[in-house]
Amino acid sequence: MAARIEDYGLIGDLQTAALVSRHGCIDWLCFPRFDSGACFAALLGDEENGRWELSPDAPVTRATRRYREDTLVLETELETADGVVRLIDFMPPRGEAPDVVRIVEGVSGTVAMRMSLSIRFDYGWTIPWVRRREDGILAIAGPDALFLATPVELVGRNFHTVAEFDVSEGDRVPFVLTWYPSHHPPPDRVDAEQALGETESFWREWVTDCVHVGRFREPLVRSLITLKALTYAPTGGIVAAATTSLPEALGGVRNWDYRYCWLRDATLTLLALVRAGYEDEARAWRDWLLRAIAGLPDQLQIMYGLAGERRLPEIELEWLDGYEGSRPVRVGNAASKQLQLDVYGEVADALYHARVAGLAASSEAWNLSRKLLEWLENGWREPDEGIWEVRGPRRHFTHSKVMAWVAFDRAVRSVEQFDREGPTDRWKAIRDEIHEEVCREGFDTELGAFTQSYGLQRLDASALMMPLVGFLPVDDDRIAGTVAAIERELVRDGLVERYRADDENVEVDGLPPGEGTFLPCSFWLAQVYALQGRLQEAEALFERLLGLRNDLGLLSEEYDVAAGRLVGNFPQAFTHLALVDAALTLDEGWCRRAGVPPVEEPRPGTADMTG
């Protein structure tokens, strides 16, 4: 049985990632990309679906873990009656081939260790042909090959590779697992100790680019590292999460594949990285965006593959039992074909703020923006599936219309601030028309709040974005009423539901009821509190949310308040970028109250980005 979601740590090489449990078992790993087939899929099944375990042979009496400061190098200390060992797990930034490096270090005493490696390609379906080599074993099946190099003697047993060895104080025993295409010759071996030093240096140098040194630096930096780890370096795309099919409700069917690049998540991640000083990532993302969405504006998708692939067919893997019995397990995502009007606004907002932050002007980006706006001039009137990707009938979702307003607002600002060319009078007229319609059709006077969709007396936490994107000022009575209604109807145990996923909502989202509270929405509420001047409430909620992180500072998409557990895909970019935004907004709020500027430090070696 897989561990609790919060018991996993993340390691990665900016092209894929692995989940390592609290006791040293890798239960999820896809090679060579985030969205490739998993060779370890025990997370969604059991040991027979692939895993890699390194642990003491005797019972573990105490387990602690941490990331080495400002890195993605994971250390796990396991204590037994005979002594203490330290597992050092990491993936070096991609060189010739992807590697997982594990070093077993003796801390005290002498500890008997065991290793069990179960390689199952194609999401736990394919058992490879394994051959012994002088310094390890080679596993091959179809297009995939894995080589495990180690000085430890390896033995085959019942389609598993096992080892038994002792580790005494001062010993360091390496294991290096390398993937490569089976029709290629094996790549050069990686020196574990050298790779460790290079990996630590890479992450620490990257963190020095962060300009923020405020009160919440530790959770902010950990979230930024997580967002960077979810970036596919060859193209600049950012995946929504490292996993597929971790359930939004334990035992439920809301299990989706998040190993793709959502325009929404990617644009919001871009904004968070820009605010923190990471212009290189902003530039890479903009280049990815221009490639991915090139084509007819009416063919814009809400998500793409890591290199901009458009076809992401959704299938179910019937041989996997699902995380804690949560079936089906899905690969691919049918929502890629949905219409979600809000992504037009999010793309426009991201490109505008990247320009404000100093990213060099791009004629290609502006031409693309104008083409999207041409379609949106009439397209904004259409019903859509909305931000939450409902699988019920299309509706006129309030948030979708608000973000369509954002698209035209940012276009007007771009003309006025950056001397761009465009039909500003027409754009202003459309912007005003959308604003008037949303305030007329999306606001319910009986509820005293903006609703999820036109004509439906149901609340939606996406309305919290209205003051955050500037649709209405935060002190507007309608915003105050909406916040109060959300506090009254959607807050559960101090956390925010995105909407009520109850029996009445089945006709809206097309799915059975039941899911956790939505962590990004809770961070949005903290931001709104800060903008309202309710700084103590904002900080209390923010600290509550920080307390839901696991011991490594990682969060999933949702939190099950009844079970006291993280649920949903993990770690989740949407949640961590909301954390970054909330941290920055809180610091800015306290600085405004104190009458001092936000605390930032100049970015070392920043080049002129004005263009």
Side-chain angles (χ1 to χ4, degrees), residues 253-254 256 330 338 385 388-395 397 452 499-513:
V253 300
R254 295 172 183 255
W256 316 110
R330 296 182 174 94
Q338 288 185 349
E385 279 89 358
W388 307 130
E389 301 171 4
V390 300
R391 300 208 171 189
R394 290 181 175 180
R395 295 175 179 270
F397 286 102
Q452 183 182 60
Y499 52 81
R500 279 288 172 88
D502 53 18
D503 290 330
E504 294 181 19
N505 200 66
V506 171
E507 64 178 274
V508 176
D509 68 9
L511 294 166

Side-chain angles (χ1 to χ4, degrees), residues 329-406:
V329 172
R330 296 182 174 94
V331 170
N333 201 306
S336 60
K337 297 302 181 183
Q338 288 185 349
L339 173 63
Q340 295 180 22
L341 294 173
D342 63 295
V343 299
Y344 291 86
E346 279 136 8
V347 168
D349 195 39
L351 292 174
Y352 167 76
H353 281 288
R355 189 74 180 92
V356 170
L359 198 66
S362 166
S363 58
E364 292 86 357
W366 181 245
N367 291 336
L368 172 65
S369 297
R370 291 194 59 175
K371 285 295 184 183
L372 296 179
L373 289 168
E374 285 180 15
W375 182 87
L376 197 59
E377 286 183 13
N378 292 310
W380 75 267
R381 304 176 189 280
E382 298 294 324
D384 71 338
E385 279 89 358
I387 182 174
W388 307 130
E389 301 171 4
V390 300
R391 300 208 171 189
R394 290 181 175 180
R395 295 175 179 270
H396 291 284
F397 286 102
T398 302
H399 175 74
S400 297
K401 308 303 185 186
V402 168
M403 294 309 295
W405 175 90
V406 167

Side-chain angles (χ1 to χ4, degrees), residues 592-607:
R592 281 195 301 271
R593 177 170 290 185
V596 297
V599 182
E600 293 184 353
E601 60 186 13
R603 183 183 180 193
T606 300

Side-chain angles (χ1 to χ4, degrees), residues 250-415:
L250 296 172
V253 300
R254 295 172 183 255
N255 318 318
W256 316 110
D257 193 347
Y258 275 19
R259 300 170 301 149
Y260 304 112
C261 301
W262 269 252
L263 292 188
R264 178 186 308 110
D265 291 30
T267 53
L268 295 174
T269 300
L270 167 69
L271 295 177
L273 291 169
V274 165
R275 290 184 74 185
Y278 288 96
E279 289 138 351
D280 289 344
E281 280 72 16
R283 187 186 300 105
W285 175 87
R286 188 177 68 181
D287 291 344
W288 173 87
L289 175 71
L290 295 176
R291 295 190 303 269
I293 68 178
L296 297 176
D298 61 354
Q299 293 181 333
L300 182 72
Q301 296 187 182
I302 66 166
M303 74 180 83
Y304 295 86
L306 305 180
E309 297 91 344
R310 292 172 178 252
R311 299 189 185 278
L312 309 174
E314 182 176 296
I315 62 173
E316 297 179 2
L317 306 184
E318 297 180 355
W319 63 87
L320 291 174
D321 291 333
Y323 181 84
E324 295 193 11
S326 304
R327 302 184 71 180
V329 172
R330 296 182 174 94
V331 170
N333 201 306
S336 60
K337 297 302 181 183
Q338 288 185 349
L339 173 63
Q340 295 180 22
L341 294 173
D342 63 295
V343 299
Y344 291 86
E346 279 136 8
V347 168
D349 195 39
L351 292 174
Y352 167 76
H353 281 288
R355 189 74 180 92
V356 170
L359 198 66
S362 166
S363 58
E364 292 86 357
W366 181 245
N367 291 336
L368 172 65
S369 297
R370 291 194 59 175
K371 285 295 184 183
L372 296 179
L373 289 168
E374 285 180 15
W375 182 87
L376 197 59
E377 286 183 13
N378 292 310
W380 75 267
R381 304 176 189 280
E382 298 294 324
D384 71 338
E385 279 89 358
I387 182 174
W388 307 130
E389 301 171 4
V390 300
R391 300 208 171 189
R394 290 181 175 180
R395 295 175 179 270
H396 291 284
F397 286 102
T398 302
H399 175 74
S400 297
K401 308 303 185 186
V402 168
M403 294 309 295
W405 175 90
V406 167
F408 290 102
D409 179 75
R410 302 313 188 252
V412 170
R413 293 192 192 194
S414 295
V415 171

Side-chain angles (χ1 to χ4, degrees), residues 117 119 121 127-142 144-149 154-156 160-161 180-186 189:
L117 175 68
I119 299 171
F121 293 119
I127 299 175
W129 175 33
V130 178
R131 291 180 288 177
R132 191 185 306 277
R133 290 291 184 262
E134 182 179 351
D135 56 345
I137 56 111
L138 173 65
I140 292 179
D144 299 297
L146 279 173
F147 193 96
L148 175 63
L154 303 174
V155 177
H160 303 268
T161 299
Y180 64 96
S182 60
H183 62 285
H184 286 189
R189 301 282 188 270

